[in-house]
Amino acid sequence: MGKQVTEMLKGTLEGIVLAILSGRAAYGYEITAWLRDQGFSDIAEGTVYALLVRIEQRGLVDVEKVPSEKGPPRKVYSLNAQGREYLEEFWRTWSFLSERLEQLREGGE
Amino acid sequence: MGKQVTEMLKGTLEGIVLAILSGRAAYGYEITAWLRDQGFSDIAEGTVYALLVRIEQRGLVDVEKVPSEKGPPRKVYSLNAQGREYLEEFWRTWSFLSERLEQLREGGE
DNA sequence: TACTGGTACATAGTGACACCGAATACCGGT
DNA sequence: ACCGGTATTCGGTGTCACTATGTACCAGTA
């Protein structure tokens, strides 16, 4: 993709991952694959893992190590109460930004 | 505001400013004031000026120095052809991201 | 005159984050 | 023994918004 997406993902990718985890628990490799599926064609794997480490350190998720049949053990993340709260704030922030931009798009043509 | 907005603005603030300039020419101080008006309560002035320097160097805008009655001369920016093209790509990128997020918001509750 | 405050721009340093590249580890199939 | 898919980690890079500060111009006022 372009540099535009890269920059725009800053801040939003975190929300995206948290939103995914709010639906169901998941692990890094799975999340990366899902994102690619959704059109984020070249999200770097390293990016997702780094993000997961960050949100874990901030206490937004719980982690459980689960053995895999096909490779090394998975680190399965699930959103906890604090994470849910943070995600709600994310949606509020997103709405705010989204509304301004939608307004600009209509007005500015 | 919070850190969430700060991160989310990366990449989008540029688009916002370009969108403003697509409607009418403007200068830094004016843009900053407008943004504050729109609810971006603590956009730093320095941020806007740095952004304007960047988009000027990338050739997305034309600049004209206009004397002011109230202070030092203004640097009035206007979107040129290349800028318009870049803005269109910005909107495409934004739409992509926006759609994924809206989808997530509905599915994830 | 000196001082204050609004207008207007510039810039050095900081922190956060997505990216790249490479490495490690486990396993099944050929 | 080797390759490819699964799964995680980590060091280094570039970009961007923020902070803080400084410069400059002008009007009003004490």
Side-chain angles (χ1 to χ4, degrees), chain B residues 54-87:
Chain B
R54 275 199 311 271
I55 63 178
E56 181 187 355
Q57 279 171 351
R58 279 197 232 143
L60 305 178
V61 288
D62 295 332
V63 191
E64 198 190 348
K65 216 154 206 168
V66 177
S68 162
E69 301 150 10
K70 295 187 182 175
R74 298 167 175 164
K75 282 181 76 176
V76 176
Y77 295 83
S78 54
L79 208 60
N80 62 26
Q82 208 183 325
R84 247 168 255 286
E85 210 175 309
Y86 189 85
L87 179 58

Side-chain angles (χ1 to χ4, degrees), chain A residues 25-71:
Chain A
Y27 54 98
Y29 191 82
E30 190 185 6
I31 294 172
T32 305
W34 186 87
L35 287 170
R36 295 228 167 101
D37 234 50
Q38 295 299 304
F40 297 97
S41 46
D42 43 29
I43 291 268
E45 286 208 75
T47 299
V48 174
Y49 286 113
L51 196 160
L52 289 170
V53 167
R54 277 199 311 272
I55 62 179
E56 180 187 355
Q57 279 170 351
R58 280 195 233 144
L60 305 178
V61 287
D62 295 330
V63 190
E64 198 191 351
K65 217 154 207 169
V66 177
S68 163
E69 300 150 9
K70 296 188 182 173

